Protein backbone atom coordinates (compact mmCIF):
# COMPACT_ATOMS: atom_id res chain seq x y z
CA UNK A 1 0.00 0.00 0.00
CA UNK A 2 0.96 3.65 -0.37
CA UNK A 3 -0.31 6.89 1.16
CA UNK A 4 -0.31 10.19 -0.71
CA UNK A 5 0.35 13.30 1.39
CA UNK A 6 -0.42 16.63 -0.21
CA UNK A 7 1.09 19.81 1.24
CA UNK A 8 -1.10 21.60 3.81
CA UNK A 9 -2.10 25.23 3.36
CA UNK A 10 -2.48 25.44 7.16
CA UNK A 11 -2.38 23.13 10.18
CA UNK A 12 -4.82 23.85 12.91
CA UNK A 13 -6.61 21.96 15.66
CA UNK A 14 -6.25 19.67 18.65
CA UNK A 15 -4.73 16.24 18.91
CA UNK A 16 -5.04 13.68 21.66
CA UNK A 17 -2.19 11.25 21.02
CA UNK A 18 -2.71 7.54 21.78
CA UNK A 19 -1.57 5.95 25.03
CA UNK A 20 2.15 5.69 25.70
CA UNK A 21 3.61 2.53 24.17
CA UNK A 22 6.29 1.94 26.80
CA UNK A 23 3.89 2.47 29.70
CA UNK A 24 1.16 0.32 28.09
CA UNK A 25 3.56 -2.66 27.78
CA UNK A 26 4.72 -2.24 31.35
CA UNK A 27 1.25 -1.74 32.84
CA UNK A 28 -0.04 -5.01 31.41
CA UNK A 29 3.11 -7.08 32.02
CA UNK A 30 3.62 -5.94 35.61
CA UNK A 31 -0.05 -6.30 36.54
CA UNK A 32 -0.11 -9.81 35.04
CA UNK A 33 2.52 -11.03 37.48
CA UNK A 34 1.27 -8.99 40.44
CA UNK A 35 -1.47 -9.95 42.89
CA UNK A 36 -4.99 -8.56 42.64
CA UNK A 37 -6.89 -7.05 39.74
CA UNK A 38 -6.25 -3.85 37.80
CA UNK A 39 -7.89 -1.71 35.20
CA UNK A 40 -5.62 -0.09 32.62
CA UNK A 41 -7.27 2.79 30.78
CA UNK A 42 -6.11 4.51 27.60
CA UNK A 43 -4.12 1.35 26.76
CA UNK A 44 -2.42 1.69 23.38
CA UNK A 45 -4.25 -0.56 20.95
CA UNK A 46 -1.21 -0.73 18.66
CA UNK A 47 0.34 -3.78 17.05
CA UNK A 48 3.26 -3.90 19.53
CA UNK A 49 1.21 -3.60 22.69
CA UNK A 50 -1.41 -6.05 21.41
CA UNK A 51 1.42 -8.52 20.76
CA UNK A 52 2.29 -8.24 24.47
CA UNK A 53 -1.32 -8.93 25.45
CA UNK A 54 -1.45 -12.02 23.19
CA UNK A 55 1.80 -13.37 24.67
CA UNK A 56 0.55 -12.91 28.24
CA UNK A 57 -2.78 -14.57 27.40
CA UNK A 58 -0.87 -17.50 25.90
CA UNK A 59 0.86 -17.80 29.29
CA UNK A 60 -2.53 -18.12 30.95
CA UNK A 61 -3.15 -14.55 32.17
CA UNK A 62 -6.78 -13.41 32.27
CA UNK A 63 -6.87 -10.11 30.34
CA UNK A 64 -10.15 -8.58 29.13
CA UNK A 65 -10.09 -5.88 26.45
CA UNK A 66 -12.89 -3.33 26.15
CA UNK A 67 -12.73 -0.90 23.26
CA UNK A 68 -14.80 2.17 22.62
CA UNK A 69 -14.22 4.11 25.86
CA UNK A 70 -14.52 7.79 24.99
CA UNK A 71 -11.32 9.63 25.99
CA UNK A 72 -11.15 13.26 27.15
CA UNK A 73 -11.25 14.65 23.59
CA UNK A 74 -13.86 12.17 22.36
CA UNK A 75 -11.19 9.76 20.98
CA UNK A 76 -12.05 6.08 21.39
CA UNK A 77 -9.77 4.49 23.95
CA UNK A 78 -9.19 0.95 25.15
CA UNK A 79 -9.43 -0.42 28.67
CA UNK A 80 -7.85 -3.66 29.87
CA UNK A 81 -8.86 -5.55 32.97
CA UNK A 82 -6.02 -7.74 34.18
CA UNK A 83 -6.27 -10.39 36.88
CA UNK A 84 -2.77 -10.73 38.28
CA UNK A 85 -1.69 -14.29 38.88
CA UNK A 86 1.84 -13.85 40.23
CA UNK A 87 4.78 -15.55 38.52
CA UNK A 88 3.52 -18.83 40.01
CA UNK A 89 0.22 -18.48 38.15
CA UNK A 90 1.85 -18.37 34.69
CA UNK A 91 1.65 -21.58 32.67
CA UNK A 92 3.80 -22.95 29.88
CA UNK A 93 2.41 -21.78 26.53
CA UNK A 94 1.33 -24.43 24.04
CA UNK A 95 3.15 -22.80 21.14
CA UNK A 96 5.89 -20.24 20.76
CA UNK A 97 5.18 -16.61 21.71
CA UNK A 98 5.20 -14.06 18.88
CA UNK A 99 6.54 -10.61 19.76
CA UNK A 100 6.06 -9.54 16.11
CA UNK A 101 7.86 -6.17 15.59
CA UNK A 102 8.18 -5.34 19.28
CA UNK A 103 11.58 -5.18 20.97
CA UNK A 104 9.96 -4.18 24.26
CA UNK A 105 7.74 -7.29 24.22
CA UNK A 106 10.63 -9.62 23.52
CA UNK A 107 13.17 -8.15 25.91
CA UNK A 108 10.83 -7.58 28.86
CA UNK A 109 9.23 -11.00 28.51
CA UNK A 110 12.71 -12.58 28.25
CA UNK A 111 13.44 -11.12 31.69
CA UNK A 112 10.15 -12.23 33.15
CA UNK A 113 10.25 -15.74 31.69
CA UNK A 114 13.79 -16.25 32.96
CA UNK A 115 12.09 -16.49 36.35
CA UNK A 116 9.23 -18.78 35.27
CA UNK A 117 9.90 -22.50 35.86
CA UNK A 118 8.96 -23.77 32.40
CA UNK A 119 10.03 -23.69 28.76
CA UNK A 120 9.25 -20.77 26.42
CA UNK A 121 10.23 -19.87 22.88
CA UNK A 122 9.79 -16.22 21.79
CA UNK A 123 10.08 -15.27 18.14
CA UNK A 124 9.49 -12.08 16.17
CA UNK A 125 9.25 -10.72 12.62
CA UNK A 126 12.24 -10.25 10.29
CA UNK A 127 13.11 -6.83 11.73
CA UNK A 128 13.00 -8.01 15.36
CA UNK A 129 14.96 -11.17 14.47
CA UNK A 130 17.83 -8.97 13.28
CA UNK A 131 17.98 -6.86 16.47
CA UNK A 132 20.53 -7.76 19.17
CA UNK A 133 19.29 -9.94 22.01
CA UNK A 134 22.74 -10.69 23.50
CA UNK A 135 22.28 -7.54 25.59
CA UNK A 136 19.51 -9.27 27.59
CA UNK A 137 20.79 -12.84 27.29
CA UNK A 138 24.14 -12.01 28.89
CA UNK A 139 22.89 -10.46 32.17
CA UNK A 140 20.01 -12.95 32.48
CA UNK A 141 22.50 -15.81 32.20
CA UNK A 142 24.63 -14.19 34.86
CA UNK A 143 21.53 -14.35 37.05
CA UNK A 144 21.38 -18.10 36.37
CA UNK A 145 18.80 -18.24 33.57
CA UNK A 146 18.95 -20.95 30.94
CA UNK A 147 18.37 -18.74 27.90
CA UNK A 148 19.59 -19.24 24.36
CA UNK A 149 19.21 -17.55 21.02
CA UNK A 150 19.96 -17.99 17.35
CA UNK A 151 23.40 -17.22 15.96
CA UNK A 152 25.45 -17.98 19.08
CA UNK A 153 22.94 -16.49 21.49
CA UNK A 154 22.81 -13.15 19.72
CA UNK A 155 19.35 -13.07 18.15
CA UNK A 156 15.75 -14.28 18.32
CA UNK A 157 14.11 -16.73 18.45
CA UNK A 158 14.94 -17.09 22.12
CA UNK A 159 14.50 -20.35 24.06
CA UNK A 160 14.19 -20.01 27.82
CA UNK A 161 13.85 -22.47 30.68
CA UNK A 162 13.38 -20.22 33.68
CA UNK A 163 13.78 -20.40 37.43
CA UNK A 164 16.49 -20.52 40.12
CA UNK A 165 17.73 -16.93 39.64
CA UNK A 166 20.18 -15.05 41.83
CA UNK A 167 20.42 -11.26 42.09
CA UNK A 168 23.44 -9.64 40.41
CA UNK A 169 25.39 -6.42 40.38
CA UNK A 170 25.60 -5.42 36.73
CA UNK A 171 27.21 -2.54 34.84
CA UNK A 172 25.08 -2.05 31.74
CA UNK A 173 27.19 -1.42 28.63
CA UNK A 174 24.38 0.59 26.96
CA UNK A 175 21.71 2.94 28.35
CA UNK A 176 18.72 0.78 27.42
CA UNK A 177 15.37 0.86 29.19
CA UNK A 178 14.46 -2.50 27.71
CA UNK A 179 17.58 -4.19 29.08
CA UNK A 180 17.17 -2.47 32.45
CA UNK A 181 13.54 -3.57 32.66
CA UNK A 182 14.33 -7.18 31.67
CA UNK A 183 16.89 -7.44 34.47
CA UNK A 184 14.61 -5.76 37.03
CA UNK A 185 11.73 -8.09 36.12
CA UNK A 186 14.00 -11.11 36.64
CA UNK A 187 15.31 -9.47 39.83
CA UNK A 188 11.80 -9.42 41.34
CA UNK A 189 11.95 -13.21 41.56
CA UNK A 190 15.67 -13.75 42.22
CA UNK A 191 17.36 -14.69 45.45
CA UNK A 192 19.04 -11.57 46.87
CA UNK A 193 19.21 -8.00 45.64
CA UNK A 194 19.92 -6.86 42.08
CA UNK A 195 21.96 -3.71 41.47
CA UNK A 196 22.20 -2.03 38.09
CA UNK A 197 24.61 0.70 37.02
CA UNK A 198 23.36 2.65 33.98
CA UNK A 199 25.86 4.54 31.79
CA UNK A 200 23.18 7.25 31.30
CA UNK A 201 19.55 7.66 32.30
CA UNK A 202 17.09 5.87 30.06
CA UNK A 203 13.29 6.11 30.39
CA UNK A 204 12.30 5.28 33.97
CA UNK A 205 8.71 4.01 33.55
CA UNK A 206 9.63 0.64 35.04
CA UNK A 207 11.08 2.19 38.17
CA UNK A 208 8.04 4.45 38.67
CA UNK A 209 5.53 1.65 38.19
CA UNK A 210 7.50 -0.86 40.28
CA UNK A 211 7.55 1.58 43.17
CA UNK A 212 3.85 2.38 42.83
CA UNK A 213 3.15 -1.38 42.85
CA UNK A 214 5.10 -1.85 46.09
CA UNK A 215 8.56 -2.95 44.91
CA UNK A 216 11.54 -2.24 47.17
CA UNK A 217 13.59 -0.07 44.85
CA UNK A 218 16.28 2.44 45.68
CA UNK A 219 17.73 4.79 43.09
CA UNK A 220 20.82 6.95 43.48
CA UNK A 221 21.75 8.78 40.30
CA UNK A 222 22.23 5.97 37.80
CA UNK A 223 22.43 3.11 40.29
CA UNK A 224 19.25 1.11 40.89
CA UNK A 225 18.91 -1.55 43.60
CA UNK A 226 15.92 -3.88 43.78
CA UNK A 227 15.10 -6.31 46.58
CA UNK A 228 12.92 -9.21 45.47
CA UNK A 229 9.32 -8.71 46.45
CA UNK A 230 5.96 -9.48 44.85
CA UNK A 231 4.07 -6.62 43.19
CA UNK A 232 0.52 -5.56 43.99
CA UNK A 233 -1.89 -4.80 41.11
CA UNK A 234 -2.42 -1.13 40.36
CA UNK A 235 -4.94 0.71 38.19
CA UNK A 236 -3.09 2.72 35.55
CA UNK A 237 -4.33 5.61 33.45
CA UNK A 238 -1.82 5.56 30.58
CA UNK A 239 -0.69 9.08 29.55
CA UNK A 240 -0.56 10.16 25.90
CA UNK A 241 2.67 9.12 24.20
CA UNK A 242 5.17 11.96 23.77
CA UNK A 243 6.66 9.98 20.87
CA UNK A 244 3.23 10.19 19.15
CA UNK A 245 2.92 13.88 20.06
CA UNK A 246 6.34 14.50 18.47
CA UNK A 247 5.12 14.41 14.82
CA UNK A 248 2.72 17.28 15.60
CA UNK A 249 5.34 19.23 17.58
CA UNK A 250 7.57 19.11 14.52
CA UNK A 251 4.73 19.73 12.02
CA UNK A 252 3.56 22.79 13.98
CA UNK A 253 7.09 24.20 14.23
CA UNK A 254 7.86 23.69 10.53
CA UNK A 255 4.66 24.77 8.85
CA UNK A 256 4.36 28.55 8.25
CA UNK A 257 0.60 28.60 9.10
CA UNK A 258 0.25 26.36 12.13
CA UNK A 259 -1.20 26.26 15.59
CA UNK A 260 -1.70 22.82 17.16
CA UNK A 261 -2.63 21.88 20.71
CA UNK A 262 -1.72 18.39 21.87
CA UNK A 263 -3.64 17.19 24.92
CA UNK A 264 -2.62 14.82 27.71
CA UNK A 265 1.02 14.29 26.72
CA UNK A 266 3.30 12.38 29.08
CA UNK A 267 6.15 14.73 29.99
CA UNK A 268 8.33 12.42 32.07
CA UNK A 269 11.76 14.14 32.05
CA UNK A 270 13.44 10.96 30.78
CA UNK A 271 11.38 11.35 27.59
CA UNK A 272 11.27 15.11 26.96
CA UNK A 273 14.52 15.51 24.99
CA UNK A 274 12.38 16.42 21.93
CA UNK A 275 10.94 19.42 23.80
CA UNK A 276 14.39 20.56 24.95
CA UNK A 277 15.78 20.29 21.43
CA UNK A 278 12.87 22.00 19.69
CA UNK A 279 13.08 24.84 22.21
CA UNK A 280 16.83 25.14 21.69
CA UNK A 281 16.10 25.35 17.94
CA UNK A 282 13.71 28.24 18.60
CA UNK A 283 10.32 26.47 18.44
CA UNK A 284 7.32 28.29 19.87
CA UNK A 285 6.08 25.76 22.45
CA UNK A 286 3.80 26.49 25.37
CA UNK A 287 3.58 23.71 27.94
CA UNK A 288 0.69 23.82 30.40
CA UNK A 289 1.00 23.08 34.11
CA UNK A 290 1.77 19.34 34.42
CA UNK A 291 -0.76 17.13 36.25
CA UNK A 292 -0.24 13.57 37.47
CA UNK A 293 -1.57 10.46 35.73
CA UNK A 294 -0.50 6.90 36.52
CA UNK A 295 2.51 8.16 38.50
CA UNK A 296 3.66 10.16 35.47
CA UNK A 297 3.49 13.91 34.72
CA UNK A 298 1.09 14.86 31.92
CA UNK A 299 0.57 18.25 30.21
CA UNK A 300 -1.07 19.95 27.23
CA UNK A 301 1.33 21.44 24.71
CA UNK A 302 0.64 24.11 22.10
CA UNK A 303 2.99 24.64 19.18
CA UNK A 304 3.00 27.41 16.59
CA UNK A 305 4.87 28.16 13.38
CA UNK A 306 8.47 28.87 14.29
CA UNK A 307 11.76 29.95 12.82
CA UNK A 308 14.23 27.18 13.62
CA UNK A 309 18.00 27.15 13.95
CA UNK A 310 20.47 24.27 13.80
CA UNK A 311 21.52 22.60 17.03
CA UNK A 312 23.96 20.01 18.38
CA UNK A 313 22.60 16.78 19.87
CA UNK A 314 24.92 14.36 21.69
CA UNK A 315 25.75 12.58 24.94
CA UNK A 316 23.22 11.94 27.69
CA UNK A 317 20.52 13.83 25.78
CA UNK A 318 20.35 11.07 23.17
CA UNK A 319 18.51 8.39 25.23
CA UNK A 320 15.92 11.08 26.14
CA UNK A 321 14.93 11.54 22.47
CA UNK A 322 16.15 8.37 20.76
CA UNK A 323 12.82 7.55 19.07
CA UNK A 324 12.32 11.14 17.86
CA UNK A 325 15.55 11.47 15.84
CA UNK A 326 13.95 10.91 12.39
CA UNK A 327 11.56 13.80 13.17
CA UNK A 328 14.34 15.98 14.60
CA UNK A 329 16.38 15.35 11.45
CA UNK A 330 13.39 16.50 9.38
CA UNK A 331 13.05 19.64 11.50
CA UNK A 332 16.77 20.30 10.99
CA UNK A 333 16.34 20.33 7.18
CA UNK A 334 14.19 23.47 7.63
CA UNK A 335 16.43 25.10 10.28
CA UNK A 336 19.01 27.73 9.50
CA UNK A 337 22.54 26.43 10.00
CA UNK A 338 24.01 23.03 10.75
CA UNK A 339 22.57 20.35 13.01
CA UNK A 340 24.95 17.65 14.23
CA UNK A 341 23.55 14.47 15.77
CA UNK A 342 26.17 12.20 17.35
CA UNK A 343 26.41 9.42 19.99
CA UNK A 344 23.25 7.93 18.45
CA UNK A 345 24.65 4.59 17.17
CA UNK A 346 21.79 2.80 18.97
CA UNK A 347 19.57 4.09 16.16
CA UNK A 348 21.16 1.57 13.83
CA UNK A 349 19.49 -1.30 15.71
CA UNK A 350 15.95 0.00 15.99
CA UNK A 351 13.01 -1.20 13.83
CA UNK A 352 15.22 -0.23 10.87
CA UNK A 353 18.78 1.14 10.72
CA UNK A 354 17.33 4.58 11.42
CA UNK A 355 20.53 6.47 10.61
CA UNK A 356 20.74 4.93 7.16
CA UNK A 357 16.99 4.91 6.37
CA UNK A 358 16.38 8.46 7.63
CA UNK A 359 19.32 9.86 5.65
CA UNK A 360 18.31 7.95 2.51
CA UNK A 361 14.71 9.14 2.58
CA UNK A 362 15.54 12.76 3.47
CA UNK A 363 18.00 12.83 0.55
CA UNK A 364 15.17 11.67 -1.72
CA UNK A 365 13.20 14.75 -0.60
CA UNK A 366 16.10 17.04 -1.47
CA UNK A 367 17.62 17.56 2.00
CA UNK A 368 21.31 18.26 2.58
CA UNK A 369 22.15 15.44 4.99
CA UNK A 370 25.25 13.36 5.54
CA UNK A 371 25.42 9.98 7.25
CA UNK A 372 27.89 9.47 10.11
CA UNK A 373 28.63 6.19 11.94
CA UNK A 374 26.90 7.50 15.09
CA UNK A 375 24.46 10.03 13.67
CA UNK A 376 24.16 12.55 10.88
CA UNK A 377 24.88 16.13 9.84
CA UNK A 378 22.08 18.21 8.37
CA UNK A 379 22.51 21.61 6.73
CA UNK A 380 19.53 23.86 6.29
CA UNK A 381 17.29 25.30 5.33
CA UNK A 382 16.67 23.39 2.10
CA UNK A 383 13.30 23.43 0.33
CA UNK A 384 11.94 19.87 0.20
CA UNK A 385 10.29 18.46 -2.92
CA UNK A 386 7.69 15.70 -2.90
CA UNK A 387 8.93 12.21 -3.82
CA UNK A 388 8.06 8.55 -3.38
CA UNK A 389 9.58 7.48 -0.06
CA UNK A 390 9.92 4.14 1.69
CA UNK A 391 9.00 3.69 5.34
CA UNK A 392 11.30 0.63 5.42
CA UNK A 393 8.65 -1.04 7.58
CA UNK A 394 9.53 1.41 10.38
CA UNK A 395 6.61 3.22 12.06
CA UNK A 396 8.67 6.19 13.23
CA UNK A 397 10.11 6.79 9.77
CA UNK A 398 6.65 6.47 8.14
CA UNK A 399 5.35 9.23 10.44
CA UNK A 400 8.36 11.49 9.84
CA UNK A 401 7.82 11.13 6.07
CA UNK A 402 4.12 11.90 6.48
CA UNK A 403 5.02 15.12 8.32
CA UNK A 404 7.60 15.97 5.64
CA UNK A 405 4.81 15.69 3.05
CA UNK A 406 2.95 18.55 4.74
CA UNK A 407 5.76 20.98 3.91
CA UNK A 408 7.20 19.64 0.62
CA UNK A 409 6.61 21.24 -2.75
CA UNK A 410 4.43 18.67 -4.56
CA UNK A 411 3.00 15.46 -3.16
CA UNK A 412 4.85 12.83 -1.15
CA UNK A 413 4.03 9.14 -1.46
CA UNK A 414 4.82 6.94 1.56
CA UNK A 415 5.29 3.22 0.85
CA UNK A 416 3.94 0.83 3.54
CA UNK A 417 2.11 3.55 5.49
CA UNK A 418 0.12 1.01 7.55
CA UNK A 419 3.24 0.33 9.62
CA UNK A 420 2.20 3.33 11.78
CA UNK A 421 -0.24 0.87 13.43
CA UNK A 422 2.69 -0.31 15.56
CA UNK A 423 2.38 2.76 17.79
CA UNK A 424 -0.22 5.16 16.34
CA UNK A 425 -3.09 3.51 14.44
CA UNK A 426 -4.98 6.82 13.89
CA UNK A 427 -1.96 8.75 12.60
CA UNK A 428 -3.07 9.32 8.99
CA UNK A 429 -6.58 10.29 10.08
CA UNK A 430 -5.18 12.84 12.56
CA UNK A 431 -2.92 14.25 9.85
CA UNK A 432 -5.86 14.86 7.50
CA UNK A 433 -7.95 16.31 10.34
CA UNK A 434 -5.28 18.92 11.17
CA UNK A 435 -5.03 19.87 7.49
CA UNK A 436 -8.76 20.45 7.36
CA UNK A 437 -8.34 22.79 10.35
C1 LIG B 1 11.69 1.38 24.98
C2 LIG B 1 12.98 1.76 25.12
C3 LIG B 1 13.79 2.38 24.07
C4 LIG B 1 12.96 2.82 22.87
C5 LIG B 1 11.89 1.84 22.51
C6 LIG B 1 10.98 1.55 23.69
C7 LIG B 1 10.99 0.79 26.13
O1 LIG B 1 14.77 1.48 23.68
O2 LIG B 1 13.77 3.08 21.75
O3 LIG B 1 11.10 2.35 21.44
O4 LIG B 1 9.75 0.71 26.12
O5 LIG B 1 11.67 0.40 27.07
P1 LIG B 1 16.05 1.15 24.62
O6 LIG B 1 15.85 -0.17 25.25
O7 LIG B 1 17.18 1.14 23.67
O8 LIG B 1 16.14 2.21 25.68
Amino acid sequence: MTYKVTPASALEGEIEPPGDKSISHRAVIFNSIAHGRASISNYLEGADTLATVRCLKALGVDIRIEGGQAGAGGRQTTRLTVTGCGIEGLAEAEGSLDARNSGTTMRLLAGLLSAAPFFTVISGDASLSSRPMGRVIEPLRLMGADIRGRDRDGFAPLAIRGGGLKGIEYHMPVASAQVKSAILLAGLFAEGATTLHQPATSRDHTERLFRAMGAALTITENVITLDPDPLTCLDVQVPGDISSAAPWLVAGSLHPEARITIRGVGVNPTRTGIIDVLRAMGAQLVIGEPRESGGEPVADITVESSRLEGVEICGDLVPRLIDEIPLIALAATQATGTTVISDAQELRIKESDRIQTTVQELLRLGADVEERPDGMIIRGPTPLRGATCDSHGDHRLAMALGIAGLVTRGETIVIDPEVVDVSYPGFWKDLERLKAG
Side-chain angles (χ1 to χ4, degrees):
M1 247 170 76
T2 58
Y3 194 92
K4 183 167 77 184
V5 188
T6 51
S9 52
L11 291 173
E12 214 170 308
E14 289 195 359
I15 293 281
E16 200 188 344
D20 187 280
K21 181 159 78 71
S22 293
I23 298 173
S24 293
H25 282 298
R26 285 160 173 79
V28 69
I29 295 173
F30 302 172
N31 274 303
S32 293
I33 46 119
H35 295 278
R37 178 176 291 195
S39 158
I40 305 170
S41 41
N42 200 32
Y43 188 81
L44 169 64
E45 209 172 337
D48 274 20
T49 42
L50 289 176
T52 292
V53 169
R54 269 193 296 274
C55 290
L56 291 165
K57 282 184 158 183
L59 294 163
V61 185
D62 179 3
I63 303 172
R64 308 272 153 97
I65 306 188
E66 282 170 74
Q69 312 289 315
R75 185 174 59 84
Q76 298 295 294
T77 66
T78 300
R79 180 163 55 212
L80 302 188
T81 306
V82 185
T83 306
C85 57
I87 189 92
E88 65 285 358
L90 297 181
E92 192 169 81
E94 281 179 11
S96 59
L97 304 183
D98 187 358
R100 299 180 63 166
N101 192 238
S102 174
T104 310
T105 307
M106 181 165 287
R107 295 197 178 107
L108 267 59
L109 290 184
L112 176 64
L113 293 165
S114 290
F118 50 71
F119 179 69
T120 312
V121 174
I122 317 179
S123 57
D125 69 7
S127 153
L128 185 55
S129 302
S130 70
R131 297 176 63 187
M133 291 299 145
R135 52 179 60 197
V136 284
I137 292 179
E138 184 195 296
L140 292 171
R141 276 197 171 165
L142 289 174
M143 296 178 84
D146 178 1
I147 170 167
R148 289 144 207 256
R150 185 178 54 81
D151 199 2
R152 286 195 237 146
D153 299 328
F155 299 93
L158 306 182
I160 306 168
R161 186 171 288 283
L165 302 184
K166 289 199 167 42
I168 48 167
E169 173 147 16
Y170 188 67
H171 289 260
M172 295 172 56
V174 281
S176 159
Q178 294 175 355
V179 174
K180 169 174 66 178
S181 304
I183 299 170
L184 291 175
L185 272 164
L188 279 179
F189 307 105
E191 196 189 306
T194 292
T195 299
L196 288 183
H197 299 258
Q198 308 188 78
T201 310
S202 60
R203 61 192 68 191
D204 67 355
H205 307 302
T206 293
E207 296 91 306
R208 285 172 184 254
L209 211 44
F210 265 28
R211 274 195 167 149
M213 296 175 79
L217 198 71
T218 54
I219 305 171
T220 338
E221 303 244 326
N222 278 329
V223 183
I224 304 168
T225 300
L226 173 74
D227 283 310
D229 234 344
L231 301 179
T232 306
C233 281
L234 180 78
D235 290 345
V236 179
Q237 163 82 32
V238 179
D241 197 328
I242 190 167
S243 297
S244 301
W248 316 118
L249 294 176
V250 169
S253 310
L254 291 189
H255 197 283
E257 290 291 329
R259 185 184 159 85
I260 306 171
T261 295
I262 311 153
R263 301 244 176 247
V265 185
V267 287
N268 176 321
T270 61
R271 297 282 300 280
T272 48
I274 176 78
I275 292 177
D276 298 350
V277 162
L278 285 175
R279 279 197 160 146
M281 293 176 89
Q284 302 294 310
L285 299 181
V286 178
I287 303 177
E289 196 51 44
R291 49 194 185 274
E292 177 102 354
S293 175
E296 297 268 350
V298 167
D300 299 337
I301 306 177
T302 298
V303 57
E304 284 184 358
S305 315
S306 311
R307 230 182 259 277
L308 301 183
E309 284 179 12
V311 75
E312 196 172 325
I313 297 166
C314 60
D316 289 0
L317 175 58
V318 173
R320 296 180 53 235
L321 48 66
I322 189 75
D323 292 339
E324 283 65 72
I325 289 181
L327 281 162
I328 291 170
L330 168 65
T333 68
Q334 302 308 297
T336 304
T338 303
T339 293
V340 180
I341 302 173
S342 42
D343 301 325
Q345 55 279 3
E346 279 289 303
L347 273 187
R348 293 206 180 269
I349 50 169
K350 295 294 179 188
E351 287 83 330
S352 68
D353 173 345
R354 280 191 189 143
I355 295 181
Q356 197 243 316
T357 53
T358 301
V359 170
Q360 182 181 322
E361 300 309 313
L362 289 179
L363 283 173
R364 245 191 253 282
L365 294 167
D368 180 349
V369 47
E370 191 186 312
E371 182 172 343
R372 285 293 166 100
D374 66 340
M376 60 192 87
I377 298 179
I378 305 127
R379 292 179 191 87
T382 26
L384 299 181
R385 49 170 194 268
T388 297
C389 293
D390 193 348
S391 68
H392 297 266
D394 184 331
H395 56 130
R396 306 254 178 246
L397 188 58
M399 289 189 265
L401 295 170
I403 299 302
L406 297 172
V407 294
T408 48
R409 200 171 320 127
E411 60 192 38
T412 299
I413 311 276
V414 180
I415 299 173
D416 280 345
E418 63 283 351
V419 71
V420 300
D421 288 356
V422 159
S423 61
Y424 195 161
F427 174 77
W428 298 110
K429 233 189 240 166
D430 280 352
L431 180 139
E432 298 302 338
R433 205 163 50 74
L434 279 185
K435 275 170 72 177

